Amino acid sequence: MPTSEIQLLQEQQRSNWVRLRTLVTLRWFAIIGQSIAVFMAVRFYELQIDVGFPTLVIGVSIIANFACRHFYPENKRLSEREASIWLVFDIVQLSLLLYLTGGLNNPFAMLVMAPVTIAATVLHLSSTIFLGSLAIALMSFISKYHIPIVTADGLILSLPVLLQFGFWVALMIGVVFLAIYTRQVTTEMHTMGEALVATQLALAREQKLTDLGGVVAATAHELGTPLATIKLVSTELMEELTNHPELLEDAALIGSQADRCRDILHSMGRAGKDDLHLKQAPVETVLREAAEPHLDRGKKVSFNVGPDEEGEPTQPNIARRPEIIHGLRNLIQNAVDFSRAEVIVDVMWSPDQISVRISDDGEGFPPSVIGRIGDPYVKRRRFTEDGSKRPGYEGMGLGLFIAKTLLERSGAKISFTNNRKHGHASWTGQATGGAIIDVAWPRELLTSGPTEHTPALGENQPNDPWY
């Protein structure tokens, strides 16, 4: 799915993130707080406030809450327009109450940031900007025009001009900063959540393919002997029926259909490798299985397999786990997509570590995004190459995110760098040619120990019915 479509979907989903019940509950807290503040100011501090108008303003909020309970169900989710209207109501109600109680000389003016913060969390950017602008405009108005607070001695409570200006500036900055900060964090959180869901779906799909392959492999294994028997008997019948052409044709048909069943099971069995004897496989075998879909795409994929200076000559057997296969497959796909002609896959092992290096001869990762590779929905990965390498595809980094997440869950450490061999250094000194991806696992996470100490696998177990 292109980046623009994902962003549009995210914006559309924002409109139903907030429940009316949530806003009503928050408004009840505001009503209680406002009532206590007015009561304390008049009763205990003996401030000269005409309580009639503040009580009327608070009463309007009470009526609005009761109206919400009467006209809407409790599980009502607000549309974009409805949520904006209710937040505008809250900002105007609070501003009017502040106008009646000293304007910005009232320390509770800071509460105007709450509706704007909620808007930044659940509404579109345009609605957030409108509500933030409305809050700033109303706070600027009541900073100049308001009913002052008078003490019992007739003294007007007012901040010094410089301090009041500083409070206004701090309030405006707070509105803007909290809105930007909250929106950024919320967007990143939901983007990461969606990417993790995509990762889970990819892993589930790989697991289902593995399970289905196990069923196919078991079927091919169990039907192998009966089909061989049918083929043998049909051949013997053909030899016995040379003088009966009408029966010979039927015997030949039986033999050809047995061959056809064998070929079908063989082709299906290429994906079926879940036999217990293939639960583990040499590391090169697992890597070639991961790379298989991309070996015939017009690019040369070379494998260099061998131990390091301290490793034993025998390849270690590793678990054929779906997350490892899918993660390596995504990395190889990325290398093939952006290479010029060749991708090199180096596999090495030591007594403590198994490592895989995937390198290509393309342009490498652009320096502008190399620090963010592995994050979901990176919009700009290889400058304008996406258009020529992947027609109709806008690189979002989701494939690399899925690969990185799945491989890290298996215990791997992944690094993304560029190779200076095929390219040149940019003005920042960062190499720009030949992308390199290094994946390394602690050996004990993938293997069960040396080959001679690997326990017997036992008999294959029946597969659970999947239909």
Side-chain angles (χ1 to χ4, degrees):
M1 183 181 294
T3 308
S4 57
E5 293 183 14
I6 289 181
Q7 291 175 337
L8 179 60
L9 180 61
Q10 290 174 342
E11 289 297 314
Q12 291 174 343
Q13 289 175 341
R14 280 183 178 269
S15 61
N16 64 353
W17 282 357
V18 64
R19 295 183 304 169
L20 177 62
R21 182 179 179 182
T22 301
L23 292 185
V24 169
T25 301
L26 292 175
R27 193 175 297 120
W28 278 123
F29 282 110
I31 291 170
I32 294 172
Q34 292 168 1
S35 301
I36 293 175
V38 172
F39 175 79
M40 294 287 290
V42 175
R43 183 72 175 181
F44 290 93
Y45 293 98
E46 299 181 351
L47 299 180
Q48 302 301 310
I49 298 176
D50 186 358
V51 296
F53 289 110
T55 302
L56 180 61
V57 173
I58 296 173
V60 171
S61 288
I62 296 175
I63 294 173
N65 271 6
F66 281 118
C68 290
R69 292 192 59 182
H70 180 72
F71 291 106
Y72 297 103
E74 288 191 4
N75 60 349
K76 165 72 175 178
R77 289 192 175 273
L78 298 176
S79 66
E80 173 77 13
R81 183 176 182 181
E82 291 170 335
S84 299
I85 290 174
W86 283 117
L87 290 174
V88 167
F89 171 83
D90 291 332
I91 292 175
V92 172
Q93 188 265 352
L94 179 60
S95 300
L96 184 57
L97 191 60
L98 291 172
Y99 169 81
L100 297 171
T101 56
L104 293 190
N105 296 300
N106 189 329
F108 291 102
M110 62 176 293
L111 293 176
V112 75
M113 292 187 290
V116 180
T117 303
I118 294 174
T121 304
V122 299
L123 299 183
H124 295 177
L125 180 60
S126 57
S127 300
T128 303
I129 293 175
F130 170 74
L131 289 167
S133 301
L134 176 64
I136 290 174
L138 291 176
M139 291 301 102
S140 300
F141 176 81
I142 66 173
S143 68
K144 294 292 185 181
Y145 307 100
H146 55 267
I147 297 176
I149 300 176
V150 182
T151 65
D153 298 332
L155 178 65
I156 296 178
L157 293 179
S158 178
L159 294 173
V161 175
L162 183 60
L163 188 58
Q164 187 176 121
F165 175 75
F167 182 49
W168 176 82
V169 171
L171 194 61
M172 299 304 101
I173 294 176
V175 168
V176 175
F177 173 77
L178 279 180
I180 295 175
Y181 179 81
T182 303
R183 185 173 184 83
Q184 184 69 22
V185 170
T186 303
T187 300
E188 289 183 1
M189 181 181 67
H190 284 276
T191 298
M192 184 62 70
E194 292 166 0
L196 288 174
V197 169
T199 302
Q200 294 291 345
L201 292 175
L203 181 58
R205 178 179 177 275
E206 191 70 33
Q207 183 65 59
K208 288 181 179 179
L209 290 175
T210 302
D211 294 341
L212 182 60
V215 174
V216 174
T219 303
H221 177 74
E222 296 297 331
L223 292 180
T225 300
L227 287 175
T229 302
I230 294 173
K231 178 65 177 177
L232 178 62
V233 172
S234 65
T235 302
E236 293 178 351
L237 286 175
M238 290 173 62
E239 295 176 355
E240 297 291 336
L241 297 175
T242 53
N243 298 325
H244 301 79
E246 67 281 359
L247 298 178
L248 178 64
E249 182 178 351
D250 292 338
L253 178 62
I254 293 174
S256 65
Q257 292 303 306
D259 290 337
R260 183 183 178 190
C261 290
R262 179 200 61 197
D263 294 338
I264 291 174
L265 289 173
H266 177 72
S267 63
M268 294 175 64
R270 293 184 69 236
K273 299 180 180 179
D274 202 38
D275 191 286
L276 283 178
H277 289 85
L278 291 177
K279 282 288 189 180
Q280 291 188 344
V283 61
E284 180 183 5
T285 302
V286 175
L287 198 60
R288 287 184 179 274
E289 179 184 351
E292 184 177 2
H294 309 292
L295 296 180
D296 299 322
R297 294 180 52 197
K299 308 288 181 65
K300 180 181 178 182
V301 181
S302 303
F303 294 86
N304 298 322
V305 182
D308 65 4
E309 297 179 356
E310 300 178 357
E312 71 279 1
T314 305
Q315 285 192 42
N317 289 334
I318 67 172
R320 289 186 58 258
R321 291 157 58 181
E323 61 267 29
I324 295 177
I325 296 174
H326 191 84
L328 290 174
R329 183 173 295 153
N330 275 12
L331 297 183
I332 294 172
Q333 176 186 358
N334 184 80
V336 171
D337 285 339
F338 294 105
S339 65
R340 291 190 179 97
E342 184 179 15
V343 174
I344 300 175
V345 181
D346 297 305
V347 185
M348 297 184 65
W349 60 87
S350 69
D352 301 321
Q353 180 175 277
I354 296 176
S355 60
V356 175
R357 168 171 287 190
I358 302 170
S359 56
D360 62 65
D361 59 353
E363 295 297 322
F365 299 112
S368 59
V369 302
I370 197 168
R372 295 185 291 121
I373 294 175
D375 291 342
Y377 308 114
V378 176
K379 298 179 184 177
R380 186 165 172 255
R381 292 168 52 198
R382 305 238 177 171
F383 297 102
T384 58
E385 281 202 29
D386 280 354
S388 59
K389 300 290 186 180
R390 295 179 176 180
Y393 174 83
E394 297 181 30
M396 298 179 297
L398 186 57
L400 286 179
F401 170 82
I402 291 175
K404 183 173 182 289
T405 302
L406 291 178
L407 292 174
E408 285 179 344
R409 286 184 178 182
S410 70
K413 292 184 178 180
I414 307 176
S415 63
F416 301 90
T417 56
N418 282 329
N419 185 3
R420 296 181 184 274
K421 179 179 179 181
H422 301 293
H424 59 277
S426 67
W427 65 272
T428 61
Q430 170 67 51
T432 58
I436 297 177
I437 304 175
D438 287 303
V439 187
W441 292 268
R443 182 162 175 162
E444 64 271 11
L445 294 181
L446 298 186
T447 63
S448 57
T451 305
E452 59 271 21
H453 297 132
T454 301
L457 295 177
E459 297 183 358
N460 292 337
Q461 300 299 318
N463 289 287
D464 294 330
W466 56 273
Y467 47 85

